[in-house]
Amino acid sequence: MNQESSKVSDLSIGNLRIALSSPGPRPETTDRISLWWGVTTSALALARFIESDFNVNGMNLLELGSGVGLTGMVAAIKGAKVTFTDYVPEALQTAKLNAIANGVPEKNVEFKILDWETSDPPGQFDVIVGSEIVYEYFFHGCLTELMLSALQDDGVILIADRPRMVVDRFIGRLIRKGCICRKHSCRVDDYGFPEQDVTIFVIRKP
């Protein structure tokens, strides 16, 4: 990551203060869209939900599409053992630098390249999290299978996103697989971010 062009944000996540470095817009690849280089309102909402409303202490947690690593980092600070995943190597490098900068114990984190189309699950997890990762219909099938195969039988999936049809379609796919879903809604209006409603879906296997 080019340190000279990176932006450092001081974020309030419940009782935590997180200094988060993000590099800013990166060129798109030819095969898929990736917005890993910034922090979304959904990532803020999910990080706050984990900090205040969802106990991850002692759990194995998988973050899909980690980007700069905000949600997984908060989970690690709250006591989870976190596996950060992304298919962009620079994203994982950035997430690792952010974790180090915020004092996350090295023993609590792993960083792995994961391509939803071709990679096997990197283990079995109590919790799987992702923010704004279901924006492309093409990946819904492989992402559903990856989540359900990586999730422990009594595990939980947390998905955060803005209200939109593509998200409803993905959640519907999980429900048709027998999953049980409840919603937690919030509004993000932090300075420097667009004012947006965010829904956090709490999904359990049948």
Side-chain angles (χ1 to χ4, degrees), residues 7 16 26 41 59 76 88 107 125 168 175 183-185 189 193 197 199 202:
K7 173 186 175 183
L16 302 177
R26 287 298 192 254
T41 53
M59 296 184 180
V88 180
K107 62 182 178 63
F125 298 88
D168 293 338
I175 291 173
K183 299 179 183 180
H184 171 85
S185 298
D189 60 357
F193 291 86
D197 294 317
T199 303
V202 181

Side-chain angles (χ1 to χ4, degrees), residues 83-94:
T83 300
F84 296 77
T85 65
D86 207 294
Y87 86 100
V88 180
E90 189 183 0
L92 293 178
Q93 294 165 8
T94 304

